[in-house]
């Protein structure tokens, strides 16, 4: 019997261990004797499922399971011994034990009686030797200690592990040796001891990270064997931008993902498109899943600092498991979990100031007065020049230096049995727009508990309350205000307050609000409060090795309250004495999932699979009241009963039930050829009678070429994988009741007699469709993942081809039916594109490090089929309610987002020009806008001379990040760019109408008989009746933006025992913008609808933000 | 085996615990057609819904007189004053009549087809069906006068596919249906209703509109007979005060005639009530006005219907109807304010028929309670005069037109020949019924619409005068119908 112990730290400890060892051997032997194993015991095979780093305990457990041996041994003997790297595949018991015990200097052998002898190797000799004690701490880039790092003296079997605090201590014989530090998903580092006794190490993350776990739908896989197209974004990148919303945080950071803000107002949603727009009228936003709970939550409720990773599922293979909801792509949000280790407390706090980037140029007061006089042909304003500059309403409403602050305190701790993560968040942002704000308070608790060896439970809970005051804009009860018109376009000749200190108002224009913008921003009360509880809990039981059953229950309960009051102090309420509105909604979303997971390796074959059944019910109840006529403004919206007049009371219940069956199978041969097949059978109550269930299948194949010898021998690649996938996905796009004919009283009541109450009338107001179904997207994807230069350069390229069929559209009906249209499935859209993402470590040394990530994507969109009586559909009327000239077109063969209108060719400068052209038409006069006679009939006609004048789709878009680290300093620079898209400057067309509002500043240089050398038409060319969509309203939307610039300093904390790391940073967001656009910002989208993409009907100026932040780890 | 049975057991437990059907939709906030109309209450609600399109159909009024010699469109909206002249198949206003009339027709068809099966009181059932027939006749009458022959939809459609290949019926066919509907309605409709039900179709409304159908078709003898029935019923008379026909406060009331007898002049009107179901006429007929007291809302309107100088010229001196038909100034806070539009040079005067000066509250926005009269007794008398004149009884006709003139405070006509009587009637219908939506139908029915417009002189009518074409007597069929029907519905000539 030979037992060898090396990793002893003191004699006392050694003796103690000796004692335990002896006990262990005794127990082991007795255990072994009691077993009836065969002679071939030593030859028995053991299957290892995954490449993994495990403890000796776990090795014994594996052997025990697969050979039916019952080992009995004290666990503590192997504490602080290095973990063992085991490779996936089959091995013999002998081999496994040899590998496992050798590094601990224990040896073993099988006796003829099938007993094991464990011998200590020359222990006495060791004790006499001269040893050196080396200690140190291992930390990551963020100075956070890493527990469990494996430390080995190179070429020997001597080693240890770091403890909870990342500290280690090791006795070695030869100080000439190298120490090898290794840990999962970090780059292995070799360090020369060089007579040092303290060696502190920073481990760098392995960006190739082939062993990195990637979260996928209903499970996770190692990146190495991933067959689908999935982009994974880690915590650090997510929290790089100081923002309350992850959609904002992800702008420009993921290939194939185009995120465009809809407003700079606090908490405003962005338009998110994964691989282009599939749909004309249905929702095109991706499906969000948080910790396994599907959809239905507001991104205002997710604190980016709680996020561990975000996975963007892009191809059919990865999204098909979400079936009828998967066609827009899926964004999986995984929140942080407790890690093994003692209590870790992190405080993350930042404060920022936001300012508007630029304003719209409008006429000043005297120019405005002159303009109005000219347009009206009379002296509306006497002596225009006396007005001077007047009021710049944009400057009054949009403030510089709006404050934003965020504080997150998180706690994490755990042992092998139980772990938790807990965080508290408070966020408070003032918008640049007067009186707009977002406040959020959150509690997050995630925990995992290993109840027994086979049974674990896990829970995640988020309680969040956020409150937004939209200020002037996004007045979601009254309806979205036309901010550009009502602020930039408001009458500049009036001051904010008159000589009595009262707010000014106007009554001349029916287009502008009566009250001035500041009065509205100050006096209108508008609050929107959301309270959410999102939680899941699951239990997982390992029925037998490789087969697990999981039952998950989740709930997402959201209450929303909107409160609005227009006080009688506003002129608009003069006659109505105050109007109050309250809306309440209660949304209950319950999910139950039952899944069976199988995972097993048979020699060269690895097989895994998933079967599942899920049910989800969502019900929303909404009620709203509007009353007016208050004796006093004191009640605001808090005493609706005090009003004298009830305007409206409504309530509505919407219910939706979903039932699904899930299936997925993976097969791998030698880790070289990988196959995945998945499907979801989805049933939903909102689907029509004849289409209650749909099947959404997919398949993928991948070839890890790097496993082939001939590729390895090229010595070019460190990894090379080719992937291809094909599948079908759905987009439900149908709201509850949409497939049913609906009868209602809406518009069907009538009055009889002198009664004031309508007599109820009931009639069908919408026509149902028994065949209504989801939109179906068929997507093909081919991709390549490669790594070069010792994994320092990683590349992913994808090409995709998507066709979306059965588009949900309102198909026009004969009005003879009494209906205008019915929701039907008709039409087809195609999206194709390339995506490239690169990660590289450009330079790395102890003191300096530079890494880059870059992504670029293209998407080409084309309408293949639409249903339109005339072959095209004109949409997106511009110019406000009275004009309504269509400005967009849908037609086969062109992309969604095509702008349509007349082609401007300057202005008519002299009469000779007009006479020479021989053209006729309303628009032809001196100083009039000159349009191209597209049909060549000699007449300029706003119907016949239109053509496609622009395209909202970008040629390419992407982003590039650079990280620099020098000693304790870090610099992060992120650039985003979009190229080749057009913007329809609807703001310009809205403001630029000769009515009562202020107009663009360029109009000061308008054509007059004395000012003929100009591009700006004469005032009479801006009459409402002449306003039409034209190419002058189209502008180039390309831009390059400095999205983030971050300087950080890691404060040395060696001398502060209570602090493990500290970082202070200053960050700028949206600091620089290179573009050709004349509006507030080229990166803008009004609303999230597909048809309005590329339209800028400005709400708020874009903002730039400076932030000062501090992160402390205790 | 043990393990497998464990799995099966677990799966079964979970699957069975939630076997409830969640895929069938059970809407709670709206009704579906399966069970409607089911009882008496439903039958009434379905019938009320058939009336509801009269509200959107109030735009008929626009068509009835804007762009004739009676009214023009001001410049407030800077829209061409050629509205209803410079039309094309894409014109949303021209299409809106088609849309709302067919919506009304579908609601009538629901009642006519389904109410007979409802278990309810028989008299009421017959009345509801008769109301629906009356309304269907009215909707088709509006359609045929605007578009010519239109497709007849006289039953509930099973779905949009039923109309594949649908074509337009002839005018004769449409008129045949209209006559049948009015005749059937006249048979079952009551002569009058209780106070709370006023506004429902009566027997007299059906007979009155039927007589108008006959007048349009130049079936003067049939019209004459029906008009006699109304006149001889002694249900109606002329208010001594012409103005009592207008203004919200006077609705549903009886007033003395010139002999002091309390009479009813309104035969049928479309009902509006402020806020709940408000109409737009107050605003449409208001001029933009000057700012009065810092508030432009009092008389400020959309200027969509302003009286022409031509209309002004038609009034004889001393005509008591002039003051309300051509309002030039208003009394405000004890002061006289002259109406002038700052948008429409030279414009300003308005028709006062839809304004409620006694109502201190501003009647602005698309929300006035003023009813729109479809048929009143003076119209019947003028039709009677016209029918008699056409039948050669000019002498007899004189007595009916003079009843109307007498109330207007202007002299009786005497010794006119048939031709001059016809001219007198043409003028009298304009001055008596201005802004009530009859002028264009009348001019077209007399065959003088185009000629009349070409003979106008005011600057406000310059564009229609110069641009009017012979085909403008009909509206274009909406392009949607031609496109969706794949051309089986044919456009009117000229468009």
């Amino acid at each position: 019997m030979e037992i060898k112990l090396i990793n002893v730290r003191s004699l006392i400890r050694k003796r103690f261990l000796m004692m335990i060892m002896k006990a262990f051997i005794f127990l082991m032997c007795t255990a072994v004797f009691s077993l009836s194993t065969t002679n071939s015991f030593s030859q028995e095979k053991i299957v290892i499922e995954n490449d993994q780093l495990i403890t000796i305990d776990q090795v014994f457990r594996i052997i025990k399971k697969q050979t039916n041996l019952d080992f009995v041994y004290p666990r503590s003997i192997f504490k602080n011994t290095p973990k063992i790297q085991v490779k996936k595949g089959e091995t013999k018991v002998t081999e496994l034990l040899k590998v496992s015990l050798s590094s601990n200097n224990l040896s073993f052998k099988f006796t003829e009686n099938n007993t094991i002898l464990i011998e200590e190797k020359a222990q006495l000799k060791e004790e006499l030797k001269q040893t050196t004690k080396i200690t140190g701490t291992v930390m990551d880039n963020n100075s956070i200690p890493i527990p469990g790092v494996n430390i080995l003296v190179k070429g020997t079997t001597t080693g240890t592990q770091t403890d909870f605090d990342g500290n280690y201590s090791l006795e070695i014989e030869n100080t000439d040796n190298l120490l090898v530090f290794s840990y999962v998903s970090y780059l292995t580092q070799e360090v020369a001891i060089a007579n040092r006794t303290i060696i502190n190490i920073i481990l760098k993350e392995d960006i190739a990270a082939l062993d990195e776990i990637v979260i996928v739908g209903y499970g996770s896989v190692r990146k190495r064997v991933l067959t689908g197209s999935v982009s994974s974004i880690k915590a650090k990148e997510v929290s790089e931008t100081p923002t309350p919303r992850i959609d904002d945080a992800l702008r420009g950071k993921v290939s194939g993902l185009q995120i465009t803000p809809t407003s700079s107002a606090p908490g405003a949603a962005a338009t998110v498109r994964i691989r282009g727009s599939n749909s004309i009228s249905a929702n095109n936003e991706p499906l969000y899943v948080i910790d396994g709970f599907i959809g239905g939550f507001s991104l205002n409720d997710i604190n980016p600092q709680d996020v561990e990773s975000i996975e963007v599922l892009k191809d059919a293979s990865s999204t098909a498991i979400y079936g009828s909801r998967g066609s827009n792509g899926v964004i999986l949000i995984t929140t942080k979990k407790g890690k093994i280790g003692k209590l870790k407390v992190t405080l993350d706090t930042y404060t920022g100031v936001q300012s508007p980037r630029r304003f719209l140029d409008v006429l000043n007061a005297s120019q405005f007065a002159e303009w109005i006089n000219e347009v009206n042909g009379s002296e509306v304003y006497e002596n225009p020049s006396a007005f001077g500059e007047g009021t710049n309403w944009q400057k009054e409403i949009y403030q510089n230096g709006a404050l934003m602050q965020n504080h997150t305190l998180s706690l994490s701790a755990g042992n092998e049995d139980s772990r938790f993560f807990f965080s508290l968040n408070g966020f408070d942002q003032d918008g640049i727009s007067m009186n707009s704000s977002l406040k959020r308070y959150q509690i997050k608790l995630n925990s995992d508990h290993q109840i027994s060896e086979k049974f674990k439970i896990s829970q995640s809970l988020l309680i969040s309350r956020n409150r937004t005051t939209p200020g002037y804009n996004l007045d979601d009860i009254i309806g979205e205000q036309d901010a550009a018109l009502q602020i930039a376009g408001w009458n500049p000749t009036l001051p904010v307050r008159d000589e009595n200190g009262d707010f000014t108002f106007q009554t001349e224009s029916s287009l502008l609000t009566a009250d001035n913008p500041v009065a509205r921003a100050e006096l209108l009360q508008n609050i929107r409060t959301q309270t959410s509880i999102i939680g899941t809990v699951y239990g997982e039981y390992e029925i037998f090795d490789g087969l697990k059953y999981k039952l998950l229950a989740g709930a997402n309960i959201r209450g929303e309250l909107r409160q609005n009051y227009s006080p009688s102090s506003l002129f608009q309420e003069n006659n109505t004495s105050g109007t109050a509105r309250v809306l309440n909604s209660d949304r209950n979303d319950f999910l139950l999932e039952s899944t069976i997971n199988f995972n097993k390796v048979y020699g060269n074959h690895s097989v895994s699979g998933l079967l599942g059944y899920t049910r989800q019910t969502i019900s929303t109840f909404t009620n709203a009241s509007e009353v007016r006529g208050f004796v006093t403004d004191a009640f605001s919206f808090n005493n609706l009963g005090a009003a004298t007049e009830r305007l409206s009371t409504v309530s509505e219940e919407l219910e939706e039930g979903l039932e699904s069956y899930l299936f997925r199978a993976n097969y791998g041969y030698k880790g070289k050829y990988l196959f995945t097949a998945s499907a979801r059978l989805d049933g939903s109550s909102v689907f029509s009678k004849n289409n209650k269930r749909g099947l959404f299948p997919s398949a993928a194949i991948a070839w890890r070429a790097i496993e082939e010898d001939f590729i390895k021998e090229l010595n070019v690649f460190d990894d090379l994988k080719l992937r291809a996938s094909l599948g079908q996905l759905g987009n439900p796009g149908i709201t509850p009741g949409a497939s049913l004919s609906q009868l209602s009283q809406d518009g069907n009541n009538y009055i009889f007699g002198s009664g004031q109450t309508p007599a109820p009338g009931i009639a069908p107001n919408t026509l149902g469709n028994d065949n209504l179904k989801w939109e179906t997207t068929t997507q093909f994807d081919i991709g390549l993942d490669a790594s070069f230069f010792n994994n320092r350069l990683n590349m992913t390229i994808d090409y995709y081809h998507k066709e979306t069929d059965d588009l949900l559209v309102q198909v026009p009906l004969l009005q003879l039916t009494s209906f205008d249209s019915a929701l039907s499935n008709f039409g087809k859209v195609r999206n194709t594109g390339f995506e490239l993402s690169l990660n590289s470590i450009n330079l790395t040394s102890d003191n300096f490090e530079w890494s880059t990530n870059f992504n670029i994507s293209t998407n080409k969109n084309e309408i293949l089929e639409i249903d339109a009586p005339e072959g095209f559909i004109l949409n997106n009327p511009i110019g406000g309610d009275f004009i309504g000239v269509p400005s967009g077109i849908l037609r086969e063969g062109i992309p969604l987002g095509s702008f349509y209108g007349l082609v401007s060719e300057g202005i008519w400068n002299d009469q000779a020009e007009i006479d020479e052209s021989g053209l006729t038409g309303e628009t032809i006069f001196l100083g009039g806008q000159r349009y191209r006679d597209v049909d060549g009939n000699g007449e300029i006609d706003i119907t016949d001379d239109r053509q496609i004048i622009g395209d909202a789709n970008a040629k390419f878009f992407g982003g590039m990040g650079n990280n620099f680290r020098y000693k304790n300093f870090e610099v992060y620079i992120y650039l985003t760019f979009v190229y080749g898209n057009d913007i329809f400057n609807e703001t310009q067309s809205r403001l630029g109408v000769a009515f009562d509002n202020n107009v663009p500043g360029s109009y000061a240089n308008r054509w007059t008989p004395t000012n003929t050398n100009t591009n700006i038409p004469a005032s009479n060319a801006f009459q409402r009746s002449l306003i039409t969509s034209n190419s002058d309203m189209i502008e180039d939307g390309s831009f390059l933006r400095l999205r983030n610039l971050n300087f950080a300093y890691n404060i040395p904390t060696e001398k502060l025992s209570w602090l493990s790391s500290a970082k202070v940073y200053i960050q700028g967001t949206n600091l620089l913008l290179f573009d050709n656009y004349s509006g507030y910002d080229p990166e803008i989208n009004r609303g999230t609808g597909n048809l309005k993409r590329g339209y800028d009907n400005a709400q708020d100026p874009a903002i730039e933000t400076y932030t000062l932040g501090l992160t402390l780890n205790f | 085996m043990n393990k497998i049975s464990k799995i099966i057991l677990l799966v079964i437990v979970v699957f069975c615990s939630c076997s409830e059907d969640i895929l069938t939709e059970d809407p709670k906030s709206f009704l579906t057609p399966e069970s409607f109309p089911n009882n008496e209450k439903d039958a009434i609600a379905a019938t009320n819904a058939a009336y509801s399109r009269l509200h959107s159909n109030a735009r008929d009024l626009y068509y009835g007189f804007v762009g004739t010699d009676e009214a023009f469109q001001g410049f407030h909206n800077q829209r061409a004053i050629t509205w209803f002249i410079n039309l094309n198949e894409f014109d949303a206003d021209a299409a809106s009549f088609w849309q709302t009339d067919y919506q009304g027709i579908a609601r009538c068809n629901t009642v006519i087809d389904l109410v007979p099966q409802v278990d309810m009181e028989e008299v009421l059932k017959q009345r509801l069906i008769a109301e629906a027939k009356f309304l269907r006749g009215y909707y088709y009458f509006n359609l045929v006068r605007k578009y010519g022959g239109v497709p007849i939809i006289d039953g509930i459609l099973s779905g949009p596919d039923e109309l594949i290949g649908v074509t337009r019926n002839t005018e004769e066919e449409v008129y045949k249906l209209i006559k049948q509907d009015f005749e059937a309605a006249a048979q079952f409709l009551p002569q009058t209703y209780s106070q709370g039900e006023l506004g429902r179709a009566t027997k007299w409304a059906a007979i009155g509109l039927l007589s108008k159908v006959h007048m349009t078709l130049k079936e003067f003898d049939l019209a004459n007979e029906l008009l006699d029935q109304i006149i001889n019923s002694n249900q109606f008379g002329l208010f001594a005060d012409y103005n009592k026909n207008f203004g919200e406060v006077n609705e549903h009331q009886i007033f003395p005639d010139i002999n002091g007898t309390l009479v009813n002049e309104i035969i049928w009107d479309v009902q509006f009530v402020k806020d709940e179901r408000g109409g737009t006429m107050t605003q449409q007929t208001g001029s933009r006005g000057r700012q009065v007291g810092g508030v432009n809302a009092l008389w400020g309107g959309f200027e969509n219907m302003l009286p022409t100088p031509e209309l002004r010229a038609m009034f004889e001196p001393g005509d008591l109807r002039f003051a309300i038909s051509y309002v030039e100034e208003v009394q405000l806070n004890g002061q006289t304010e002259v109406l002038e539009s700052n948008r429409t040079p030279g414009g300003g005067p308005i028709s006062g028929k839809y304004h409620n000066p006694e109502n201190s509250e501003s009647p602005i926005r698309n929300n006035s309670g003023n009813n729109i009269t479809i048929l009143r007794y003076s119209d019947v008398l003028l039709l009677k005069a016209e029918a008699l004149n056409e039948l050669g009884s000019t002498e007899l006709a004189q007595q009916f037109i003079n009843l109307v003139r007498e109330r207007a405070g202007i002299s009786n006509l005497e010794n006119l020949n048939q031709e001059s009587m016809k001219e007198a009637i043409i003028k009298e219908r304009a001055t008596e019924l201005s802004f009530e939506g009859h002028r264009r139908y009348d001019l077209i029915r007399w065959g003088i619409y185009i000629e009349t417009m070409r003979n106008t002189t005011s600057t406000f009518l310059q564009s229609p005068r110069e641009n009017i074409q012979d085909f403008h007597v009909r509206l274009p069929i909406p392009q949607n119908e031609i496109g969706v029907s794949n051309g089986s519905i044919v456009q009117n000539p000229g468009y």
Side-chain angles (χ1 to χ4, degrees), chain A residues 879-924:
Chain A
D881 304 336
F882 296 101
I883 302 165
V885 184
S887 63
I889 183 167
L890 301 173
R891 192 170 70 200
E892 285 167 20
I894 62 169
L896 279 175
S898 297
F899 305 132
Y900 194 62
L902 299 177
V903 184
S904 302
E905 295 181 321
I907 61 172
W908 294 109
N909 260 314
D910 60 75
Q911 191 57 43
E913 236 176 42
I914 296 178
D915 299 342
E916 201 181 309
S917 73
L919 292 170
T920 57
E922 277 187 277
T923 56
I924 299 172

Side-chain angles (χ1 to χ4, degrees), chain A residues 507-674:
Chain A
T507 54
E508 177 58 26
S509 165
S510 62
L511 210 58
L512 299 179
T513 54
D515 297 281
N516 80 44
V518 176
R520 289 172 61 82
E522 290 240 319
L523 298 174
L524 279 174
Q525 299 168 34
N526 194 354
I527 302 174
R528 181 172 177 167
T529 313
Q530 283 185 320
T531 309
S532 296
I533 301 173
I534 307 172
T536 55
V537 57
Y538 72 83
E540 189 176 72
Y541 186 78
E542 187 166 16
I543 296 164
F544 55 76
D545 184 43
L547 186 76
K548 286 174 183 163
Y549 173 78
K550 179 173 164 184
L551 180 64
L552 176 143
N556 175 1
I557 297 167
R558 190 168 85 218
E560 187 174 328
L561 172 64
R562 299 186 199 179
Q563 296 156 305
N564 181 290
Y565 184 65
S566 311
S568 60
S569 46
L570 279 170
F571 179 81
Q572 66 177 44
E573 295 287 343
N574 246 359
N575 292 326
T576 43
S577 312
T579 305
R581 303 169 190 84
V582 172
L583 179 145
N584 265 294
S585 100
D586 178 42
R587 187 180 186 279
N588 286 286
D589 185 345
F590 298 108
L591 175 71
L592 194 63
E593 284 177 1
S594 181
T595 49
I596 296 166
N597 234 301
F598 177 72
N599 200 334
K600 197 114 185 166
V601 176
Y602 302 97
N604 287 327
H605 312 276
S606 63
V607 179
S608 65
L610 169 81
L611 275 177
Y613 171 78
T614 83
R615 287 167 72 91
Q616 190 168 8
T617 54
I618 305 160
S619 65
T620 311
F621 179 83
T622 311
N623 68 303
S625 303
E626 181 173 354
V627 298
R628 72 180 175 202
F630 289 90
V631 183
T632 161
D633 283 333
F635 295 131
S636 181
F637 39 68
N638 300 306
N639 187 354
L640 297 190
T644 52
E645 197 181 342
R646 271 105 194 95
L647 292 179
S648 78
T649 311
V650 292
S651 69
E652 183 181 36
E653 163 95 15
L654 290 176
E655 279 182 348
E656 193 177 343
L658 297 115
E659 185 182 49
S660 312
Y661 297 88
L662 317 173
F663 160 80
R664 181 167 57 215
N666 299 297
Y667 169 75
Y669 178 71
K670 285 188 169 170
K672 195 192 289 182
Y673 307 107
L674 307 161

Side-chain angles (χ1 to χ4, degrees), chain A residues 797-814:
Chain A
I797 302 178
D798 276 272
Y799 168 77
Y800 61 87
H801 178 112
K802 288 196 296 186
E803 279 188 16
T804 305
D805 227 326
D806 294 329
L807 294 184
L808 283 161
V809 282
Q810 288 287 343
V811 170
L813 298 176
L814 284 175

Side-chain angles (χ1 to χ4, degrees), chain A residues 215-217 287 289 309-313 322 330-334:
Chain A
I215 309 293
V216 294
L287 179 70
V289 178
S309 74
I310 291 174
E311 265 80 13
V312 182
L313 314 185
Y322 291 102
V330 181
I331 294 184
L332 302 178
I333 302 165
T334 309

